[in-house]
Amino acid sequence: MPREQLQVLNALDTAKTQLYHFTAIVIAGMGFFTDAYDLFAISLVTKLLGRIYYHREGALKPGTLPPGVNSSVTAVALVGTLAGQLFFGWLGDKMGRKKVYGMTLAVMVICSLASGLSFGRERRSVMAVLCFFRFWLGFGIGGDYPLSATIMSEYANKKTRGAFIAAVFAMQGFGILASGIVALVVSAAFDHAFSAPSYATNALLSTPVQADYVWRIILMFGAIPAGLTYYWRMKMPETARYTALVAKNAKQAASDMARVLQVDIEAEEQKVETITQDKRNSFGLFSKAFLRRHGLHLLGTTSTWFLLDIAFYSQNLFQKDVFTAIGWIPPAATMNAIGEVFRVARAQTLIALCSTVPGYWFTVAFIDIIGRFAIQLMGFFFMTVFMFALAIPYHHWTLHDNRIGFIIIYSLTFFFANFGPNATTFVVPAEIFPARLRSTCHGISAAAGKAGAIVGAYGFLYASQSSDPKKTDAGYPPGIGIKNSLIVLGVINFLGMLFTFLVPEPNGKSLEELSGENEEDDEVQQTTSNRTVPV
């Protein structure tokens, strides 16, 4: 049976939606805005980097990044993100959410600026410096995932908790949109100021010297939104759940939340001591008790996030290649270097505006109505359907008259990724694990996702190459082609749908009820926490 809830936690669970909820969403959400901007802006400038630093005299096509360099530039931030999620997730449970929260933002600001700098002009030094700072940029971004999710879940009331956490994550959509808009503005301004002929007309002059500033400005812009929110992050009090249940400081928890909620809250020191000294609330991550209570839950959150990110990052990071394949972006030789950035950014911006951003906010609107489980299952189902709808008649979609239909269906896969598992895989791990392990388990789940993103980034880069050696990009071995790559992604989405059945439904329950921290009867806890379908 559940014991009586702490007054401070009950006050949070039952609080009406107030200004501090929206303040927390904005503060945490701006971190995710920056995260998405920094992670996805690189896909807008990789073709430009190839033209600037890998131009070959007399070549029929503009220069492109060699396979090893391209995959490193694209995926090195994802590797850093994975490491940051594990490290800062663990640190958030050891030191507290607030102390670590400022560190991640400082790393992001510094490395966003530094990724647009280089020591020397030779391509090796430029690429090496870019990869070095993008790794550490990813490291800082990684910390934002478990900390933002955990802070928002521990601040929210149980009635609208899903919507608040999803709203933080939805800022990612605006970050992707912003990266496209910034690239559009910068490339349009430079193309107007330094007009250049197409590559076919004059290969050397098609990439003006000033083009080197374009990619640097686009990448460095990511430091601005992160820097603007640093002060407010430092002003946020530590969450009451960490202070009371992990730090065991009842007075501080009551004091902090009384100020935030503007109500009188009693410091229940005896009750905190009883809860925290209960042996069933002291098991570690690698214990049999954790395996029994939350083992399947952790498997569910890690596997679904891993599978989702293989598909999601493959689509996002390489949509420029898909658009080129269907002719939505003209052949590279018919454009100058800066004009190509404009075309790629326009395509990404349209997809973000029409499908990515709406998908996130549909989740915010419905997650506390129909639940996490239903949204995730539905999202994986429609991603599978639309991916096969693109892949099986792929030749049909490459015909000129059918390209609009391709874009519509391709956009729908993004819509149902975001009105689906891309949001719910972020929300659920912040709700179902104990307070002392919440940030760590969210970090592990998120890191599994980034492992999937790395597989997608590296794998799709090679797999999407034509099976005809004469049609592959310079330096790449033959692959299985875009059609077969899309079929593989469809199968991955279907597997994600199956693993969703391991994930519990947290809708409408308190965090302590979900994690079992407030249970007196162990048998009751097991029957409630192991539920894997919505109630």
Side-chain angles (χ1 to χ4, degrees):
M1 290 181 64
R3 60 167 64 89
E4 188 180 351
Q5 178 73 299
L6 287 172
Q7 188 183 31
V8 65
L9 303 187
N10 187 60
L12 285 167
D13 281 340
T14 58
K16 293 181 179 179
T17 301
Q18 300 175 35
L19 179 61
Y20 84 89
H21 287 122
F22 294 106
T23 303
I25 289 171
V26 171
I27 293 170
M30 284 308 294
F32 264 87
F33 177 96
T34 306
D35 297 348
Y37 182 97
D38 290 331
L39 286 177
F40 292 106
I42 193 67
S43 66
L44 300 170
V45 299
T46 49
K47 287 183 177 289
L48 178 61
L49 290 169
R51 285 196 185 228
I52 295 172
Y53 296 105
Y54 291 88
H55 171 74
R56 287 187 296 117
E57 195 67 40
L60 295 177
K61 295 181 180 180
T64 58
L65 296 177
V69 176
N70 195 3
S71 56
S72 296
V73 167
T74 302
V76 70
L78 301 177
V79 176
T81 302
L82 187 156
Q85 286 164 335
L86 293 173
F87 177 73
F88 286 115
W90 168 79
L91 203 62
D93 284 332
K94 294 297 179 184
M95 293 179 59
R97 295 37 164 147
K98 178 186 175 180
K99 288 181 181 177
V100 182
Y101 212 26
M103 298 182 199
T104 62
L105 204 63
V107 171
M108 287 160 58
V109 171
I110 294 168
C111 293
S112 287
L113 294 172
S115 62
L117 305 175
S118 57
F119 307 127
R121 289 180 171 271
E122 291 189 2
R123 64 190 183 193
R124 281 190 177 183
S125 63
V126 173
M127 294 300 122
V129 172
L130 177 60
C131 288
F132 176 81
F133 284 114
R134 281 194 64 79
F135 172 85
W136 290 109
L137 172 63
F139 192 71
I141 289 171
D144 237 36
Y145 277 73
L147 293 169
S148 291
T150 300
I151 286 171
M152 200 64 242
S153 72
E154 294 180 346
Y155 263 109
N157 61 54
K158 63 182 180 181
K159 184 178 179 181
T160 56
R161 185 179 60 237
F164 289 158
I165 305 172
V168 170
F169 195 64
M171 294 298 287
Q172 190 178 75
F174 289 124
I176 296 172
L177 181 63
S179 67
I181 292 172
V182 170
L184 281 173
V185 172
V186 173
S187 59
F190 272 77
D191 199 28
H192 177 75
F194 309 102
S195 183
S198 68
Y199 185 87
T201 304
N202 190 315
L204 192 60
L205 295 181
S206 69
T207 306
V209 176
Q210 293 82 5
D212 196 47
Y213 294 109
V214 172
W215 69 269
R216 297 177 189 275
I217 293 171
I218 292 170
L219 296 185
M220 293 171 78
F221 189 86
I224 295 174
L228 292 175
T229 56
Y230 185 82
Y231 171 78
W232 297 107
R233 278 201 182 188
M234 294 297 92
K235 294 283 288 182
M236 290 179 73
E238 182 59 85
T239 69
R241 285 182 160 91
Y242 181 86
T243 306
L245 301 177
V246 184
K248 304 176 185 178
N249 190 336
K251 286 185 177 179
Q252 188 65 49
S255 173
D256 287 343
M257 291 307 104
R259 189 169 67 253
V260 169
L261 298 172
Q262 297 182 339
V263 295
D264 293 328
I265 298 176
E266 181 185 348
E268 301 169 293
E269 295 179 357
Q270 185 62 46
K271 198 181 288 186
V272 167
E273 189 175 343
T274 302
I275 294 172
T276 55
Q277 287 185 354
D278 190 327
K279 290 183 179 179
R280 290 168 301 177
N281 289 335
S282 59
F283 57 82
L285 180 65
F286 300 104
S287 66
K288 289 182 179 179
F290 179 87
L291 184 64
R292 186 180 71 253
R293 289 192 181 191
H294 300 291
L296 285 177
H297 298 163
L298 188 59
L299 175 61
T301 58
T302 53
S303 59
T304 52
W305 209 335
F306 173 79
L307 294 165
L308 176 275
D309 272 9
I310 293 177
F312 185 73
Y313 276 82
S314 296
Q315 289 173 253
N316 261 300
L317 293 174
F318 299 104
Q319 59 184 261
K320 63 184 184 301
D321 301 310
V322 174
F323 291 144
T324 300
I326 65 164
W328 215 42
I329 296 176
T334 65
M335 300 178 284
N336 64 48
I338 299 175
E340 187 175 31
V341 174
F342 182 87
R343 294 294 187 98
V344 172
R346 185 176 64 180
Q348 177 167 309
T349 302
L350 286 172
I351 291 292
L353 192 62
C354 297
S355 62
T356 305
V357 172
Y360 281 116
W361 291 99
F362 264 72
T363 300
V364 174
F366 291 104
I367 192 168
D368 290 312
I369 299 173
I370 63 177
R372 291 74 160 147
F373 180 88
I375 288 177
Q376 183 162 312
L377 197 66
M378 175 195 67
F380 270 127
F381 173 77
F382 281 112
M383 287 173 70
T384 304
V385 169
F386 289 126
M387 201 65 77
F388 284 131
L390 289 176
I392 294 171
Y394 181 71
H395 176 71
H396 168 81
W397 297 120
T398 61
L399 302 177
H400 187 273
D401 293 341
N402 303 323
R403 289 171 185 171
I404 298 300
F406 181 97
I407 296 301
I408 291 172
I409 296 179
Y410 189 64
S411 298
L412 284 170
T413 64
F414 279 103
F415 176 82
F416 281 104
N418 295 312
F419 182 33
N422 193 39
T424 55
T425 52
F426 176 80
V427 173
V428 174
E431 299 180 295
I432 62 176
F433 298 108
R436 66 188 181 283
L437 299 172
R438 185 168 292 132
S439 180
T440 300
C441 290
H442 194 285
I444 292 170
S445 302
K450 281 300 167 285
I454 293 165
V455 170
Y458 281 104
F460 194 83
L461 185 67
Y462 287 88
S464 61
Q465 296 296 317
S466 173
S467 56
D468 183 352
K470 297 179 180 178
K471 296 181 180 179
T472 62
D473 292 335
Y476 286 88
I480 61 175
I482 289 181
K483 174 179 178 175
N484 291 327
S485 297
L486 292 173
I487 291 175
V488 170
L489 294 181
V491 172
I492 288 169
N493 290 327
F494 178 74
L495 292 174
M497 187 168 59
L498 297 182
F499 277 98
T500 295
F501 286 93
L502 296 176
V503 180
E505 175 57 76
N507 197 19
K509 298 178 181 178
S510 74
L511 298 181
E512 289 66 44
E513 184 182 358
L514 289 162
S515 65
E517 290 169 286
N518 209 30
E519 291 287 341
E520 289 184 321
D521 185 348
D522 198 45
E523 274 188 31
V524 175
Q525 159 57 19
Q526 288 184 52
T527 60
T528 56
S529 70
N530 289 333
R531 189 182 299 277
T532 57
V533 293
V535 185

